[in-house]
Amino acid sequence: MRQYSSQIDAGPHRSDATPLGAFPTVRARRLRGSAGLRTLVRETSLTPHDFIQPLFVVEGASRREPVDSMPGVDQLSVDEVVRDVRETAELHIPAVILFGVPNHKDETGSGAYDHDGIAQRAVRAIKEAVPNMVVITDLCLCEYTSHGHCGIVENGTVANDPTLELLAATAVSQAAAGADVVAPSDMMDGRVRAIRAGLDAHGFENTPILSYAAKYASAFYGPFREAAQSAPQFGDRRDYQMDPANGREALHEVELDLAEGADMVMVKPALAFLDVLWRVKQMANVPVGAYNVSGEYAMVKAASERGWIDGNAIMMEILHSIKRAGADFILTYHAREAARLLTWG
Ligand code: PBG
């Protein structure tokens, strides 16, 4: 420092003892002085292209049932889901992820791999009405099983290997309905491999897999389970989803899923796991998504309804933080309201 400062004319007001690179030579506030400057030097920018809009599809027609714990989110019948997808497309959001909520549930979640199941019907209707929308299907059995677990239950727990076959069958039936991407969220070991094999064997070798690779056993999914009617009827999901105390294990899960053929990976939830997202982004040379989950959304809405926080400002701050932490795309219930704000202010 001393060397450099002695080589330049620092001006009469600057003492030789003032090192460059420190106050008062450097003032970080200079670049914050106007909206224009702030825009110029902004490191992270959001666009509607960053978002994936989750949608819940129910049986019936003309149905739009509000989800109490998620203000602004509705369960939609197929005709209504098409309307929402049109609106999503008009906002330049490139993708939706669908969750089927069937009337009929059974032990083996047969509605998940029924060619005429609720998700399959929704995919067909959406692809027909809005062909350019990227339709991602959540691939799990929990919305379809009577016990609410993500696979076949044997001896009080989810049996891993017998579940794989059903997941592969579900993937094939979703792809056959026209799904552009399948997104396994069950956390069974070996599911990406089984799903890839199933898809390839049926001519869907070009259908990508977005794996919920690092999915935690999180209390933040509470409101989703109301929306998807998928709460486990006994026990919890801690023997298949990850322990929230773990970080390194997420990297292992990502490595395994990539080795099995995942095309994209996801970290879920987002906010309490931004460190994990950052680490996954550093090691994975594929697109990395983050799921800004139902509980994260519900907290913002609840506090904002009470006037305790500025909901829009908090929403944008949260979405920026997820992108800054490394997300290439964000699955978020805020997608459309954030896109509107980004487009029209
Ligand atoms: C299905 C699934 C869940 C979520 C996405 N897919 C619930 C769960 O694992 O219990 C949660 C999404 C959210 O909370 O917004 N397995």
Side-chain angles (χ1 to χ4, degrees):
M1 261 327 156
R2 298 281 315 160
Q3 266 178 332
Y4 288 110
S5 48
S6 61
Q7 282 165 16
I8 57 163
D9 179 6
H13 60 283
R14 186 168 288 140
S15 132
D16 246 10
T18 304
L20 282 180
F23 179 84
T25 313
V26 174
R27 291 176 183 268
R29 287 183 57 185
R30 279 185 202 124
L31 298 183
R32 299 176 199 143
S34 71
L37 269 174
R38 290 193 295 272
T39 301
L40 183 71
V41 302
R42 186 160 296 137
E43 297 176 42
T44 310
S45 52
L46 287 170
T47 87
H49 294 168
D50 294 323
F51 304 139
I52 297 175
Q53 173 73 57
L55 295 167
F56 298 99
V57 198
V58 291
E59 312 269 1
S62 307
R63 281 182 68 196
R64 188 171 277 273
E65 318 278 353
V67 178
D68 286 345
S69 52
M70 300 176 73
V73 174
D74 302 316
Q75 295 177 322
L76 306 165
S77 53
V78 171
D79 51 330
E80 292 292 324
V81 99
V82 168
R83 280 170 55 144
D84 276 36
V85 171
R86 283 210 174 90
E87 192 195 334
T88 305
E90 280 160 16
L91 289 163
H92 301 286
I93 295 167
V96 296
I97 181 162
L98 296 185
F99 297 92
V101 188
N103 281 348
H104 168 80
K105 299 181 190 242
D106 57 31
E107 288 282 301
T108 57
S110 62
Y113 39 91
D114 175 352
H115 287 262
D116 211 26
I118 183 69
Q120 288 80 354
R121 275 182 279 139
V123 173
R124 276 189 224 109
I126 293 168
K127 289 308 291 186
E128 196 183 314
V130 194
N132 292 336
M133 179 59 75
V134 176
V135 177
I136 306 172
T137 42
D138 183 79
L139 206 178
C140 195
L141 300 183
C142 64
E143 297 98 337
Y144 303 89
T145 51
S146 42
H147 43 70
H149 278 286
C150 302
I152 303 262
V153 171
E154 284 173 9
N155 308 319
T157 183
V158 178
N160 195 88
D161 299 10
T163 298
L164 299 181
E165 229 175 282
L166 302 186
L167 292 171
T170 304
V172 170
S173 80
Q174 292 176 343
D180 297 294
V181 178
V182 296
S185 66
D186 52 282
M187 290 302 277
M188 297 301 116
D189 289 321
R191 82 288 177 64
V192 173
R193 177 166 172 254
I195 290 164
R196 186 73 271 155
L199 289 171
D200 291 357
H202 289 81
F204 299 112
E205 56 283 309
N206 289 322
T207 303
I209 299 174
L210 163 59
S211 163
Y212 287 68
K215 175 168 174 178
Y216 287 87
S218 170
F220 283 100
Y221 308 151
F224 172 94
R225 293 180 186 167
E226 181 201 336
Q229 290 155 17
S230 66
Q233 299 303 302
F234 65 88
D236 54 45
R237 305 207 204 287
R238 283 183 294 183
D239 70 337
Y240 45 105
Q241 299 179 346
M242 287 176 51
D243 182 343
N246 295 353
R248 183 186 57 209
E249 188 189 5
L251 308 185
H252 186 216
E253 283 283 4
V254 168
E255 279 168 1
L256 293 171
D257 283 6
L258 291 177
E260 291 178 27
D263 301 280
M264 301 179 271
V265 293
M266 200 199 296
V267 173
K268 175 181 173 208
L271 291 186
F273 302 90
L274 290 180
D275 58 323
V276 175
L277 177 58
W278 175 262
R279 289 168 75 181
V280 167
K281 177 64 179 177
Q282 305 312 305
M283 56 85 75
N285 291 315
V286 295
V288 175
Y291 202 140
N292 177 212
V293 299
S294 57
E296 298 171 338
Y297 176 86
M299 292 195 303
V300 174
K301 291 295 171 190
S304 147
E305 274 178 8
R306 291 188 174 205
W308 290 351
I309 59 167
D310 175 343
N312 279 348
I314 295 270
M315 166 178 78
M316 295 316 271
E317 196 169 320
I318 284 173
L319 293 171
H320 275 105
S321 78
I322 297 171
K323 189 156 181 201
R324 198 183 64 235
D328 294 295
F329 51 83
I330 307 169
L331 298 89
T332 178
Y333 303 97
H334 292 296
R336 277 174 294 176
E337 51 177 340
R340 272 185 222 112
L341 209 59
L342 288 166
T343 309
W344 294 302

